[in-house]
């Protein structure tokens, strides 16, 4: 979480507001790790950043309140959640 916060305070201002989602990817990562722990929140953040690239998704994509039962520590690929494009 410290690395995400450091990014928000330093590099984020140089890159500009270029995230396609709300909340931004760094806010999503901070919240996901705080809510679901380093392992699950880290995988959710990694896959969220992957969805944010060109040709990816956009729009409102909040951190889920609770993890689905299928999301287990030994199957990190299940954290990938492709979202349909909105609008």
């Amino acid at each position: 979480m410290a690395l995400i916060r450091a990014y928000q305070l330093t590099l984020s201002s140089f890159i500009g507001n270029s995230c396609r989602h709300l909340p931004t990817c760094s806010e999503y990562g901070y919240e996901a790790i705080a809510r679901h722990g380093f392992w699950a929140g880290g995988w959710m953040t990694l896959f969220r950043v992957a969805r944010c690239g060109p040709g990816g998704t956009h729009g409102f994509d909040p951190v889920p309140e609770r993890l689905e039962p299928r999301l287990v520590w030994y199957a990190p690929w299940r954290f990938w959640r492709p979202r349909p494009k909105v609008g």
Side-chain angles (χ1 to χ4, degrees):
M1 290 176 55
L3 290 175
I4 293 172
R5 190 66 180 141
Y7 165 79
Q8 289 175 334
L9 294 173
T10 57
L11 294 175
S12 179
S13 61
F14 292 113
I15 295 172
N17 188 11
S18 60
C19 188
R20 302 161 49 118
H21 294 99
L22 187 66
T24 65
C25 291
S26 61
E27 291 170 349
Y28 183 95
Y30 193 85
E31 185 178 344
I33 292 171
R35 186 176 292 173
H36 301 296
F38 181 74
W39 183 259
W43 283 109
M44 294 168 70
T45 302
L46 177 71
F47 291 131
R48 165 65 182 275
V49 171
R51 288 194 311 266
C52 196
T57 60
H58 63 278
F60 185 64
D61 182 21
V63 176
E65 292 289 327
R66 297 183 185 175
L67 293 178
E68 300 172 23
R70 68 180 187 83
L71 301 177
V72 291
W73 68 271
Y74 54 82
W77 58 88
R78 291 183 180 171
F79 286 93
W80 174 257
R81 298 181 305 147
R83 297 274 190 211
K85 292 186 180 180
V86 179

